[in-house]
Amino acid sequence: MTLPLVPELQKIQNIPLLPNIRELDRRQLGLLMKSLGEPGYRARQLHRWLYSNQLPDFETMSTFGSKLRRKLSESWSIRPATMVGAISEPADRTLPDSTPTAKFLIQLADGELVESVLIPSDDRVTACISTQVGCPLQCTFCATGAMGFRRNLFASEIADQVYLLDKEAQNRYTCKVTNIVFMGMGEPLLNLENVFESIATLTEKDYRFSISEKKITISTVGLVPEMEQISDSRLKTRLAVSLHSADQHIRERLMPVAAKYPLDMLSGAIASYNSKTGQPVTLVCMLLSAINDSVEDAQKLVRFAKRVLCKINLIDYNPIVNLGVKTGCSDSKTMFIQRLLDAGMHVTVRKSQGATINAACGQLATFSGNNGSPLQ
Ligand code: SF4
């Protein structure tokens, strides 16, 4: 049976399997219900069944009459992402109640794969989720960049990762997911519409899974126009900018896209974010041996950081075989941190979690390539 759908919906329907209703966003669900002659509130009900209750079929959507349920099931399928693999770091036996980081392989409805990570710590369980299959930006230190770009994730596929990880967190750590970071595979700002849509779903106040916007951090390599969109969005999410160096030449070497957005432009976008949201950004820097860990590098970072409202987060690099960069040594790291502290910077130093299972920053990839250990 062919439904009288608007062209946009017809295009989505034009695939061999029954189309996956989870590819529709709220607006499109509204169009669908309208095309079926249903009132607007039916779309909100359908969204709730799909994302709060996470029902696997239309038959159990009890607020819908049998005619509507039949129409939906004749034309649409419900195919959420599924978890197909998991690997945990070995528990640290020197620590009581050691809670190891775990990485998960998530299969999307079309068979594509992404990775997501659960990072437990004393007071939180953080879900690190992916927004793209691969990534087009090809940062030189990153396994995801090395695998190329395949496609953007739908908003539902982004939210599904959180639902799957939340169940795992409850099983593994008897704790729900408390924080979400958009720092997995892909550049979230290249898929911003779906990131916004997923955040709207994940923060719905009376849904079974609901989290505060303030517990969500979006990470970017510094895409200036999209950062402006975030600044204007009125979201209360946090923003992390992968700076890695306050030297334009080094930045471009590490992240080729930085050539498009020079440091002056980037600091302008951060200042704009500061003034529009009242929030600092987190400048993320990964220290790499003989690349960005000198005294001069620390001084340049201080000069850049003083222009904006920010915290600095220093992270360890996790070596990816064949990607040709090495983590900084502990002496240079100590010197670097001291320079920042002497200049009055707010600095956090994050010990990398998940490196032994290739779950740490820059290590996520779903191919049997350079990182050497995809999930089985
Ligand atoms: S670091 Fe982020 S933006 Fe750069 S290639 Fe990797 S996933 Fe893409």
Side-chain angles (χ1 to χ4, degrees):
M1 173 183 157
T2 306
L3 295 171
L5 296 176
V6 293
E8 188 174 359
L9 295 175
Q10 285 173 322
K11 198 167 90 192
I12 293 168
Q13 276 212 309
N14 216 4
I15 54 176
L17 280 171
L18 278 184
N20 186 2
I21 201 159
R22 293 175 73 96
E23 292 182 9
L24 305 188
D25 60 22
R26 278 165 203 260
R27 187 184 62 83
Q28 292 167 324
L29 288 177
L31 292 173
L32 171 63
M33 283 305 191
K34 198 172 170 191
S35 75
L36 296 174
E38 297 290 335
Y41 70 86
R42 288 284 184 219
R44 290 192 293 281
Q45 287 179 333
L46 179 55
H47 192 273
R48 176 181 289 273
W49 285 128
L50 291 172
Y51 297 103
S52 181
N53 303 74
Q54 295 172 40
L55 293 187
D57 58 64
F58 297 105
E59 292 313 313
T60 42
M61 296 184 177
S62 57
T63 50
F64 295 164
S66 57
K67 203 168 147 199
L68 176 57
R69 295 203 300 261
R70 196 180 61 250
K71 277 188 200 168
L72 287 169
S73 56
E74 280 174 353
S75 302
W76 296 91
S77 59
I78 302 175
R79 287 178 285 142
T82 53
M83 189 174 286
V84 293
I87 185 169
S88 293
E89 273 197 314
D92 185 343
R93 295 186 193 287
T94 62
L95 297 174
D97 305 324
S98 165
T99 47
T101 293
K103 179 167 77 164
F104 303 94
L105 188 63
I106 310 287
Q107 186 164 48
L108 311 176
D110 62 355
E112 293 284 5
L113 298 165
V114 292
E115 293 186 344
S116 319
V117 183
L118 267 181
I119 309 157
S121 60
D122 288 346
D123 59 344
R124 63 182 67 181
V125 175
T126 302
C128 174
I129 57 174
S130 297
T131 52
Q132 298 183 305
V133 184
C135 179
L137 295 187
Q138 302 196 318
C139 301
T140 49
F141 52 83
C142 177
T144 310
M147 69 180 272
F149 173 68
R150 296 182 64 84
R151 72 168 173 86
N152 281 335
L153 265 61
F154 291 102
S156 63
E157 294 170 332
I158 298 171
D160 280 344
Q161 292 171 69
V162 177
Y163 301 143
L164 290 166
L165 264 58
D166 187 53
K167 276 189 204 132
E168 282 294 323
Q170 293 183 52
N171 287 340
R172 288 167 182 256
Y173 317 125
T174 58
C175 179
K176 290 176 73 63
V177 163
T178 60
N179 294 70
I180 297 169
V181 291
F182 285 81
M183 291 184 188
M185 293 167 63
E187 161 58 57
L189 272 58
L190 289 178
N191 188 14
L192 197 53
E193 212 175 298
N194 288 335
V195 166
F196 283 163
E197 175 79 16
S198 68
I199 289 172
T201 298
L202 292 166
T203 57
E204 271 288 356
K205 285 213 169 32
D206 56 350
Y207 277 20
R208 284 186 187 171
F209 181 91
S210 178
I211 193 167
S212 160
E213 286 178 4
K214 293 179 186 166
K215 300 290 181 181
I216 298 175
T217 300
I218 304 173
S219 171
T220 178
V221 291
L223 307 187
V224 166
E226 290 81 3
M227 286 170 68
E228 291 291 355
Q229 274 180 262
I230 292 179
S231 302
D232 293 333
S233 70
R234 313 186 100 163
L235 280 177
K236 295 190 171 55
T237 51
R238 305 306 187 219
L239 183 65
V241 176
S242 297
L243 187 69
H244 298 322
S245 173
D247 176 291
Q248 180 63 21
H249 177 69
I250 297 173
R251 218 169 166 261
E252 286 179 30
R253 185 174 151 201
L254 295 173
M255 297 176 288
V257 73
K260 217 170 149 187
Y261 305 113
L263 284 163
D264 279 348
M265 209 191 254
L266 181 61
S267 67
I270 295 172
S272 165
Y273 175 86
N274 294 151
S275 72
K276 286 178 181 168
T277 66
Q279 290 296 320
V281 300
T282 301
L283 298 179
V284 180
C285 289
M286 188 164 54
L287 293 187
L288 302 167
S289 178
I291 294 178
N292 64 356
D293 62 346
S294 68
V295 174
E296 198 192 351
D297 290 313
Q299 286 165 341
K300 284 183 178 172
L301 176 54
V302 167
R303 282 200 291 277
F304 183 89
K306 283 192 168 171
R307 293 157 67 178
V308 294
L309 187 59
C310 68
K311 299 181 273 191
I312 297 172
N313 187 11
L314 294 180
I315 59 173
D316 287 336
Y317 176 64
N318 301 287
I320 312 283
V321 179
N322 293 335
L323 290 189
V325 280
K326 287 191 299 185
T327 193
C329 72
S330 58
D331 284 354
S332 60
K333 185 171 167 183
T334 305
M335 175 281 300
F336 201 96
I337 294 166
Q338 198 53 55
R339 291 274 164 165
L340 300 182
L341 293 174
D342 290 348
M345 299 285 106
H346 180 160
V347 185
T348 52
V349 181
R350 199 181 79 201
K351 188 181 172 303
S352 175
Q353 287 182 274
T356 59
I357 54 169
N358 288 336
C361 181
Q363 289 188 320
L364 299 185
T366 50
F367 67 149
S368 305
N370 289 339
N371 73 338
S373 177
L375 290 165
Q376 301 300 312

